[in-house]
Amino acid sequence: MTSPTPQPPRPDPENNADRMRSVARYSGIGAQMLATIGLSTWAGYWLDGHFQNKTPWFTLSLMLLGLFAALYNVIRSVSKDQ
């Protein structure tokens, strides 16, 4: 006599909804980081061109400022979830 094959567990719809919310939240954080760093870098690049700087001081400083602002937002968002 053969034993019946075990059935795979059925996915829980509430668990899938929670998973999708998490994916949406964290992909939104990634998009926000990209926008913050990209816009601040572009603004620095524009300022360097406007003032005709030979060294890209505005680009570097605004890019770092955008990076720190984006990381601050990520840390704040993740710590708020817990």
Side-chain angles (χ1 to χ4, degrees):
M1 184 145 212
T2 61
S3 62
T5 58
Q7 297 293 325
R10 291 188 175 171
D12 185 14
E14 289 184 20
N15 195 12
N16 283 340
D18 290 341
R19 193 174 305 144
M20 289 304 292
R21 268 189 232 111
S22 294
V23 167
R25 182 179 326 144
Y26 292 122
S27 64
I29 290 173
Q32 185 180 19
M33 281 186 69
L34 181 66
T36 303
I37 297 168
L39 286 174
S40 62
T41 303
W42 175 81
Y45 181 78
W46 183 85
L47 285 171
D48 282 330
H50 180 73
F51 291 114
Q52 299 173 354
N53 292 340
K54 292 181 181 178
T55 55
W57 291 113
F58 284 117
T59 301
L60 291 173
S61 59
L62 287 179
M63 181 175 45
L64 287 174
L65 182 67
L67 177 68
F68 290 131
L71 287 176
Y72 173 75
N73 281 334
V74 167
I75 292 169
R76 193 180 65 170
S77 296
V78 171
S79 66
K80 187 188 310 181
D81 291 343
Q82 294 177 359

Coordinates of all heavy atoms in Angstrom, one line a residue:
M1 N 0.8 -1.2 0.0 CA 0.0 0.0 0.0 C 0.9 1.2 0.0 O 1.8 1.3 0.8 CB -0.9 0.0 1.2 CG -1.8 1.0 1.3 SD -3.3 0.3 2.1 CE -4.5 1.2 1.3
T2 N 0.6 2.2 -0.8 CA 1.4 3.4 -0.9 C 0.7 4.5 -0.1 O -0.5 4.6 0.0 CB 1.5 3.9 -2.4 OG1 0.2 4.1 -2.9 CG2 2.2 2.8 -3.2
S3 N 1.5 5.3 0.5 CA 1.0 6.4 1.2 C 0.7 7.6 0.3 O 1.3 7.8 -0.7 CB 2.0 6.9 2.3 OG 3.1 7.3 1.7
P4 N -0.3 8.4 0.6 CA -0.7 9.5 -0.2 C 0.4 10.5 -0.2 O 1.1 10.7 0.7 CB -2.0 10.1 0.4 CG -2.0 9.6 1.8 CD -1.2 8.3 1.8
T5 N 0.6 11.2 -1.4 CA 1.7 12.2 -1.5 C 1.2 13.4 -0.7 O 0.1 13.8 -0.7 CB 1.9 12.6 -2.9 OG1 0.7 13.1 -3.5 CG2 2.4 11.4 -3.7
P6 N 2.2 14.0 0.0 CA 1.8 15.2 0.8 C 1.5 16.4 -0.1 O 2.2 16.6 -1.1 CB 3.0 15.4 1.7 CG 4.1 14.8 1.0 CD 3.6 13.6 0.2
Q7 N 0.5 17.1 0.3 CA 0.1 18.3 -0.5 C 1.0 19.5 0.0 O 1.3 19.6 1.2 CB -1.3 18.6 -0.2 CG -2.3 17.6 -0.7 CD -2.2 17.4 -2.3 OE1 -2.1 18.4 -3.0 NE2 -2.3 16.2 -2.8
P8 N 1.4 20.3 -0.9 CA 2.2 21.5 -0.5 C 1.3 22.5 0.3 O 0.1 22.5 0.0 CB 2.6 22.1 -1.8 CG 1.7 21.6 -2.9 CD 1.3 20.3 -2.4
P9 N 1.8 23.2 1.2 CA 1.0 24.1 2.0 C 0.4 25.2 1.1 O 1.1 25.7 0.1 CB 1.9 24.7 3.0 CG 3.3 24.5 2.5 CD 3.2 23.3 1.6
R10 N -0.8 25.6 1.3 CA -1.4 26.7 0.5 C -0.9 28.0 1.0 O -0.8 28.2 2.2 CB -2.9 26.6 0.6 CG -3.5 25.4 0.0 CD -5.0 25.4 -0.1 NE -5.5 24.3 -0.9 CZ -6.7 23.9 -0.9 NH1 -7.6 24.6 -0.3 NH2 -7.1 22.9 -1.7
P11 N -0.7 28.9 0.1 CA -0.2 30.3 0.5 C -1.3 31.0 1.3 O -2.5 30.9 0.9 CB 0.1 31.0 -0.8 CG -0.5 30.2 -1.8 CD -0.8 28.8 -1.3
D12 N -0.9 31.6 2.3 CA -1.9 32.4 3.1 C -2.1 33.8 2.4 O -1.1 34.5 2.2 CB -1.3 32.6 4.5 CG -2.2 33.3 5.5 OD1 -3.4 33.5 5.1 OD2 -1.8 33.7 6.5
P13 N -3.3 34.2 2.1 CA -3.5 35.5 1.4 C -3.1 36.7 2.2 O -2.5 37.6 1.7 CB -5.0 35.5 1.1 CG -5.5 34.2 1.5 CD -4.5 33.4 2.2
E14 N -3.2 36.6 3.5 CA -2.8 37.7 4.3 C -1.3 37.9 4.4 O -0.8 39.0 4.4 CB -3.4 37.6 5.8 CG -4.9 37.8 5.8 CD -5.4 37.7 7.3 OE1 -4.6 37.9 8.2 OE2 -6.6 37.5 7.4
N15 N -0.6 36.7 4.4 CA 0.8 36.7 4.4 C 1.4 37.3 3.1 O 2.3 38.1 3.1 CB 1.4 35.3 4.7 CG 2.8 35.3 5.0 OD1 3.4 36.4 5.3 ND2 3.4 34.2 5.0
N16 N 0.7 37.0 2.0 CA 1.1 37.5 0.7 C 0.9 39.0 0.6 O 1.7 39.7 0.1 CB 0.4 36.8 -0.4 CG 0.9 35.4 -0.7 OD1 2.0 35.1 -0.4 ND2 0.1 34.6 -1.4
A17 N -0.2 39.5 1.2 CA -0.5 40.9 1.2 C 0.6 41.7 2.0 O 1.0 42.7 1.6 CB -1.9 41.2 1.8
D18 N 1.0 41.1 3.2 CA 2.0 41.7 4.0 C 3.3 41.7 3.3 O 4.1 42.7 3.3 CB 2.2 40.9 5.3 CG 1.0 41.1 6.3 OD1 0.3 42.1 6.1 OD2 0.9 40.3 7.2
R19 N 3.6 40.7 2.5 CA 4.9 40.6 1.8 C 4.9 41.6 0.7 O 5.9 42.3 0.5 CB 5.0 39.2 1.2 CG 6.4 38.9 0.6 CD 6.5 37.5 0.2 NE 6.2 36.6 1.3 CZ 5.6 35.4 1.1 NH1 5.3 35.0 -0.1 NH2 5.3 34.6 2.2
M20 N 3.8 41.8 0.0 CA 3.7 42.8 -1.1 C 3.8 44.2 -0.5 O 4.4 45.1 -1.2 CB 2.4 42.6 -1.9 CG 2.4 41.4 -2.7 SD 3.7 41.3 -3.9 CE 3.4 42.6 -5.0
R21 N 3.2 44.5 0.6 CA 3.4 45.8 1.3 C 4.8 46.1 1.6 O 5.3 47.2 1.4 CB 2.5 45.9 2.5 CG 1.1 46.4 2.3 CD 0.4 46.7 3.6 NE -0.9 46.0 3.4 CZ -1.3 44.9 4.1 NH1 -0.6 44.4 5.0 NH2 -2.4 44.4 3.9
S22 N 5.5 45.1 2.1 CA 6.9 45.2 2.4 C 7.8 45.5 1.2 O 8.6 46.4 1.2 CB 7.5 44.0 3.1 OG 6.9 43.8 4.4
V23 N 7.5 44.8 0.1 CA 8.2 45.0 -1.1 C 7.9 46.4 -1.7 O 8.9 47.1 -2.1 CB 7.8 43.9 -2.2 CG1 8.3 44.3 -3.6 CG2 8.3 42.5 -1.8
A24 N 6.7 46.8 -1.6 CA 6.4 48.2 -2.1 C 7.0 49.2 -1.3 O 7.6 50.2 -1.8 CB 4.9 48.4 -2.1
R25 N 7.0 49.0 0.0 CA 7.6 50.0 0.9 C 9.1 50.2 0.7 O 9.7 51.3 0.6 CB 7.4 49.6 2.4 CG 7.9 50.6 3.4 CD 7.6 50.2 4.8 NE 6.4 49.5 4.9 CZ 6.1 48.5 5.8 NH1 7.1 48.1 6.6 NH2 5.0 48.0 5.8
Y26 N 9.8 49.0 0.6 CA 11.3 49.1 0.5 C 11.7 49.5 -0.9 O 12.7 50.1 -1.1 CB 11.9 47.8 0.9 CG 11.8 47.5 2.4 CD1 11.1 46.4 2.9 CD2 12.2 48.5 3.3 CE1 11.0 46.2 4.3 CE2 12.1 48.3 4.6 CZ 11.5 47.2 5.1 OH 11.3 47.0 6.5
S27 N 10.9 49.1 -2.0 CA 11.3 49.6 -3.3 C 11.0 51.1 -3.4 O 11.7 51.8 -4.1 CB 10.5 48.9 -4.4 OG 9.1 49.1 -4.2
G28 N 10.0 51.6 -2.7 CA 9.8 53.0 -2.6 C 10.9 53.8 -1.9 O 11.3 54.9 -2.3
I29 N 11.5 53.2 -0.9 CA 12.7 53.7 -0.2 C 13.8 53.8 -1.2 O 14.6 54.8 -1.2 CB 13.0 53.0 1.1 CG1 11.9 53.2 2.1 CG2 14.4 53.4 1.6 CD1 12.1 52.3 3.3
G30 N 14.0 52.7 -2.0 CA 15.1 52.7 -2.9 C 15.0 53.8 -4.0 O 15.9 54.5 -4.4
A31 N 13.7 54.0 -4.5 CA 13.5 55.0 -5.5 C 13.7 56.4 -4.9 O 14.2 57.3 -5.5 CB 12.0 54.9 -6.0
Q32 N 13.3 56.6 -3.6 CA 13.5 57.9 -3.0 C 15.0 58.1 -2.8 O 15.4 59.3 -3.0 CB 12.8 57.8 -1.6 CG 12.9 59.2 -0.9 CD 12.2 59.1 0.5 OE1 11.9 58.0 1.0 NE2 11.8 60.2 1.0
M33 N 15.8 57.1 -2.5 CA 17.2 57.3 -2.3 C 17.8 57.7 -3.7 O 18.6 58.6 -3.7 CB 17.9 56.0 -1.9 CG 17.8 55.7 -0.4 SD 18.8 54.3 0.0 CE 20.4 54.9 -0.2
L34 N 17.4 57.0 -4.7 CA 17.9 57.3 -6.1 C 17.6 58.8 -6.5 O 18.4 59.5 -7.0 CB 17.4 56.3 -7.1 CG 17.8 56.5 -8.5 CD1 19.3 56.2 -8.6 CD2 17.0 55.6 -9.4
A35 N 16.4 59.2 -6.2 CA 16.0 60.5 -6.5 C 16.7 61.6 -5.7 O 17.2 62.6 -6.3 CB 14.4 60.7 -6.3
T36 N 16.9 61.3 -4.4 CA 17.6 62.3 -3.6 C 19.0 62.5 -4.0 O 19.5 63.6 -4.2 CB 17.5 61.9 -2.1 OG1 16.1 61.7 -1.7 CG2 18.2 62.8 -1.2
I37 N 19.7 61.4 -4.2 CA 21.1 61.5 -4.5 C 21.3 62.0 -6.0 O 22.1 62.8 -6.2 CB 21.8 60.1 -4.4 CG1 21.8 59.6 -2.9 CG2 23.2 60.1 -4.9 CD1 22.1 58.2 -2.7
G38 N 20.4 61.6 -6.9 CA 20.5 62.0 -8.3 C 20.2 63.5 -8.4 O 21.0 64.2 -9.1
L39 N 19.2 64.0 -7.8 CA 18.9 65.4 -7.9 C 19.9 66.3 -7.2 O 20.2 67.4 -7.7 CB 17.5 65.7 -7.3 CG 16.3 65.2 -8.1 CD1 15.0 65.4 -7.4 CD2 16.3 66.0 -9.4
S40 N 20.4 65.9 -6.1 CA 21.5 66.7 -5.4 C 22.7 66.7 -6.3 O 23.4 67.7 -6.4 CB 21.7 66.2 -4.0 OG 22.2 64.9 -4.0
T41 N 23.1 65.6 -6.9 CA 24.3 65.5 -7.7 C 24.1 66.4 -9.0 O 25.0 67.1 -9.4 CB 24.6 64.1 -8.2 OG1 24.7 63.3 -7.0 CG2 25.8 64.0 -9.0
W42 N 22.9 66.3 -9.6 CA 22.6 67.2 -10.7 C 22.6 68.6 -10.4 O 23.2 69.5 -11.1 CB 21.2 66.8 -11.3 CG 20.8 67.7 -12.4 CD1 21.2 67.7 -13.7 CD2 20.0 68.9 -12.3 NE1 20.7 68.7 -14.4 CE2 19.9 69.5 -13.6 CE3 19.3 69.5 -11.2 CZ2 19.2 70.7 -13.8 CZ3 18.6 70.7 -11.5 CH2 18.6 71.2 -12.7
A43 N 22.1 69.0 -9.2 CA 22.2 70.4 -8.8 C 23.6 70.9 -8.6 O 24.0 72.0 -9.0 CB 21.4 70.6 -7.5
G44 N 24.5 70.0 -8.0 CA 25.9 70.4 -7.9 C 26.6 70.5 -9.2 O 27.4 71.4 -9.4
Y45 N 26.2 69.6 -10.1 CA 26.8 69.7 -11.5 C 26.4 71.0 -12.2 O 27.2 71.7 -12.8 CB 26.4 68.5 -12.3 CG 26.9 68.4 -13.7 CD1 28.2 68.0 -13.9 CD2 26.1 68.7 -14.7 CE1 28.7 67.9 -15.2 CE2 26.6 68.7 -16.0 CZ 27.9 68.3 -16.2 OH 28.4 68.2 -17.5
W46 N 25.1 71.3 -12.0 CA 24.6 72.6 -12.6 C 25.3 73.8 -12.0 O 25.7 74.7 -12.7 CB 23.1 72.7 -12.4 CG 22.6 73.9 -13.1 CD1 22.2 74.0 -14.4 CD2 22.3 75.2 -12.5 NE1 21.8 75.3 -14.7 CE2 21.8 76.0 -13.5 CE3 22.5 75.7 -11.2 CZ2 21.5 77.3 -13.3 CZ3 22.2 77.0 -11.0 CH2 21.7 77.8 -12.0
L47 N 25.5 73.8 -10.7 CA 26.2 74.9 -10.0 C 27.6 75.0 -10.4 O 28.1 76.1 -10.7 CB 26.1 74.8 -8.5 CG 24.7 75.1 -7.9 CD1 24.7 74.7 -6.4 CD2 24.4 76.6 -8.0
D48 N 28.3 73.9 -10.6 CA 29.7 74.0 -11.1 C 29.8 74.5 -12.5 O 30.7 75.3 -12.8 CB 30.3 72.6 -11.0 CG 30.7 72.1 -9.6 OD1 31.1 73.0 -8.8 OD2 30.7 70.9 -9.4
G49 N 28.8 74.2 -13.3 CA 28.8 74.7 -14.7 C 28.4 76.2 -14.7 O 29.0 77.0 -15.5
H50 N 27.5 76.6 -13.8 CA 27.0 78.0 -13.8 C 28.1 78.9 -13.3 O 28.3 80.0 -13.8 CB 25.8 78.1 -12.9 CG 25.3 79.5 -12.7 ND1 24.6 80.1 -13.8 CD2 25.3 80.4 -11.7 CE1 24.2 81.3 -13.4 NE2 24.6 81.5 -12.2
F51 N 28.9 78.5 -12.3 CA 30.0 79.3 -11.8 C 31.3 79.0 -12.4 O 32.3 79.5 -12.0 CB 30.1 79.1 -10.2 CG 28.9 79.7 -9.5 CD1 28.0 78.9 -8.8 CD2 28.7 81.1 -9.5 CE1 27.0 79.4 -8.1 CE2 27.6 81.6 -8.8 CZ 26.7 80.8 -8.1
Q52 N 31.3 78.1 -13.4 CA 32.5 77.7 -14.2 C 33.7 77.3 -13.3 O 34.8 77.8 -13.4 CB 32.9 78.9 -15.1 CG 31.8 79.2 -16.1 CD 32.1 80.4 -16.9 OE1 33.1 81.1 -16.7 NE2 31.2 80.7 -17.9
N53 N 33.4 76.4 -12.4 CA 34.4 75.9 -11.5 C 35.3 74.9 -12.2 O 34.8 74.1 -13.0 CB 33.8 75.2 -10.3 CG 33.1 76.2 -9.4 OD1 33.4 77.4 -9.4 ND2 32.2 75.7 -8.5
K54 N 36.6 75.0 -12.0 CA 37.5 74.0 -12.6 C 37.5 72.7 -11.8 O 37.7 71.6 -12.4 CB 38.9 74.5 -12.6 CG 39.1 75.7 -13.5 CD 40.5 76.2 -13.5 CE 40.6 77.4 -14.5 NZ 41.9 77.9 -14.5
T55 N 37.2 72.7 -10.5 CA 37.1 71.5 -9.7 C 35.6 71.4 -9.3 O 34.9 72.4 -9.0 CB 38.0 71.6 -8.4 OG1 37.6 72.7 -7.7 CG2 39.4 71.5 -8.8
P56 N 35.1 70.2 -9.3 CA 33.6 70.0 -9.1 C 33.3 70.0 -7.6 O 32.7 69.0 -7.0 CB 33.4 68.6 -9.7 CG 34.7 67.9 -9.5 CD 35.7 68.9 -9.7
W57 N 33.5 71.1 -6.9 CA 33.3 71.1 -5.5 C 31.8 71.1 -5.2 O 31.4 70.4 -4.2 CB 33.9 72.4 -4.8 CG 35.4 72.3 -4.8 CD1 36.2 73.1 -5.5 CD2 36.2 71.4 -4.1 NE1 37.5 72.7 -5.3 CE2 37.5 71.7 -4.4 CE3 35.9 70.4 -3.2 CZ2 38.6 71.0 -3.8 CZ3 37.0 69.7 -2.7 CH2 38.3 70.0 -3.0
F58 N 31.0 71.8 -5.9 CA 29.5 71.7 -5.7 C 29.0 70.3 -5.9 O 28.2 69.9 -5.2 CB 28.8 72.8 -6.5 CG 28.9 74.2 -6.1 CD1 29.5 75.1 -6.9 CD2 28.4 74.6 -4.9 CE1 29.7 76.4 -6.5 CE2 28.5 75.9 -4.4 CZ 29.2 76.8 -5.2
T59 N 29.5 69.7 -7.0 CA 29.0 68.4 -7.3 C 29.3 67.4 -6.2 O 28.5 66.6 -5.7 CB 29.6 67.9 -8.6 OG1 29.3 68.8 -9.7 CG2 29.1 66.5 -9.0
L60 N 30.5 67.4 -5.7 CA 31.0 66.5 -4.7 C 30.2 66.8 -3.3 O 29.8 65.9 -2.7 CB 32.5 66.6 -4.5 CG 33.3 66.0 -5.6 CD1 34.8 66.3 -5.3 CD2 33.1 64.5 -5.7
S61 N 30.2 68.0 -3.0 CA 29.6 68.4 -1.7 C 28.1 68.1 -1.7 O 27.5 67.5 -0.7 CB 29.8 69.8 -1.3 OG 29.3 70.7 -2.3
L62 N 27.4 68.4 -2.8 CA 25.9 68.2 -2.8 C 25.6 66.7 -3.0 O 24.6 66.2 -2.5 CB 25.2 69.0 -3.9 CG 25.1 70.5 -3.6 CD1 24.5 71.2 -4.8 CD2 24.3 70.7 -2.3
M63 N 26.5 65.9 -3.6 CA 26.3 64.5 -3.8 C 26.4 63.8 -2.4 O 25.6 63.0 -2.0 CB 27.3 63.9 -4.7 CG 27.2 62.4 -4.9 SD 28.2 61.7 -6.1 CE 29.8 62.4 -5.8
L64 N 27.4 64.3 -1.6 CA 27.6 63.7 -0.3 C 26.4 64.1 0.7 O 26.0 63.3 1.5 CB 28.9 64.2 0.3 CG 30.2 63.5 -0.2 CD1 31.4 64.1 0.3 CD2 30.1 62.0 0.0
L65 N 26.0 65.4 0.5 CA 24.9 65.8 1.3 C 23.6 65.0 0.9 O 22.9 64.6 1.8 CB 24.6 67.3 1.1 CG 23.5 67.9 1.8 CD1 23.8 67.9 3.3 CD2 23.2 69.3 1.3
G66 N 23.4 64.7 -0.3 CA 22.3 63.9 -0.8 C 22.4 62.5 -0.3 O 21.4 61.9 0.1
L67 N 23.6 62.0 -0.2 CA 23.8 60.6 0.3 C 23.5 60.5 1.7 O 22.8 59.6 2.2 CB 25.3 60.2 0.0 CG 25.7 58.8 0.5 CD1 24.9 57.7 -0.2 CD2 27.1 58.6 0.4
F68 N 24.0 61.5 2.5 CA 23.7 61.5 4.0 C 22.2 61.7 4.2 O 21.6 61.0 5.1 CB 24.5 62.5 4.7 CG 26.0 62.2 4.8 CD1 26.9 63.1 4.4 CD2 26.4 60.9 5.1 CE1 28.3 62.8 4.5 CE2 27.7 60.6 5.2 CZ 28.7 61.5 4.9
A69 N 21.5 62.5 3.4 CA 20.1 62.8 3.6 C 19.3 61.5 3.3 O 18.4 61.1 4.0 CB 19.6 63.9 2.7
A70 N 19.7 60.8 2.2 CA 19.0 59.6 1.8 C 19.2 58.5 2.9 O 18.3 57.8 3.2 CB 19.5 59.1 0.5
L71 N 20.4 58.3 3.4 CA 20.7 57.4 4.5 C 19.9 57.7 5.7 O 19.4 56.8 6.4 CB 22.2 57.3 4.7 CG 23.0 56.6 3.7 CD1 24.5 56.6 4.0 CD2 22.6 55.1 3.5
Y72 N 19.8 59.0 6.1 CA 19.1 59.4 7.2 C 17.6 59.0 7.1 O 17.0 58.5 8.0 CB 19.2 60.9 7.4 CG 18.3 61.4 8.5 CD1 18.6 61.2 9.9 CD2 17.1 62.1 8.2 CE1 17.8 61.7 10.8 CE2 16.3 62.6 9.2 CZ 16.6 62.4 10.5 OH 15.8 62.8 11.5
N73 N 17.0 59.2 5.9 CA 15.6 58.8 5.6 C 15.4 57.3 5.7 O 14.4 56.8 6.2 CB 15.2 59.3 4.3 CG 14.8 60.8 4.3 OD1 14.5 61.3 5.4 ND2 14.9 61.5 3.2
V74 N 16.4 56.5 5.2 CA 16.3 55.1 5.3 C 16.3 54.6 6.7 O 15.5 53.8 7.1 CB 17.4 54.4 4.5 CG1 17.5 52.9 4.8 CG2 17.2 54.6 3.0
I75 N 17.3 55.1 7.5 CA 17.4 54.7 8.9 C 16.1 55.1 9.6 O 15.6 54.3 10.4 CB 18.6 55.3 9.5 CG1 19.9 54.7 8.9 CG2 18.6 55.2 11.0 CD1 21.2 55.4 9.3
R76 N 15.6 56.3 9.4 CA 14.4 56.8 10.0 C 13.2 55.9 9.6 O 12.4 55.5 10.5 CB 14.1 58.2 9.7 CG 13.0 58.9 10.5 CD 12.8 60.3 10.1 NE 12.3 60.2 8.8 CZ 11.8 61.3 8.1 NH1 11.8 62.4 8.7 NH2 11.3 61.1 6.9
S77 N 13.1 55.5 8.4 CA 11.9 54.7 7.9 C 12.0 53.3 8.5 O 11.0 52.7 8.9 CB 11.9 54.6 6.4 OG 11.7 55.9 5.8
V78 N 13.2 52.7 8.5 CA 13.3 51.3 9.0 C 13.1 51.3 10.5 O 12.5 50.4 11.0 CB 14.7 50.8 8.6 CG1 15.0 49.5 9.3 CG2 14.8 50.6 7.1
S79 N 13.7 52.3 11.2 CA 13.5 52.3 12.7 C 12.1 52.5 13.1 O 11.6 52.1 14.2 CB 14.5 53.2 13.4 OG 14.1 54.6 13.0
K80 N 11.3 53.3 12.3 CA 9.9 53.5 12.6 C 9.1 52.3 12.4 O 8.1 52.1 13.1 CB 9.4 54.6 11.6 CG 8.0 55.1 11.9 CD 7.4 56.0 10.9 CE 8.3 57.1 10.5 NZ 7.7 57.9 9.4
D81 N 9.5 51.4 11.6 CA 8.8 50.1 11.3 C 8.9 49.2 12.5 O 8.0 48.3 12.7 CB 9.3 49.4 10.1 CG 8.9 50.2 8.8 OD1 8.0 51.0 8.9 OD2 9.5 49.9 7.8
Q82 N 9.9 49.3 13.3 CA 10.2 48.3 14.3 C 9.5 48.7 15.6 O 9.0 49.4 16.1 CB 11.6 48.1 14.6 CG 12.3 47.4 13.4 CD 13.8 47.3 13.5 OE1 14.3 47.7 14.5 NE2 14.4 46.7 12.6

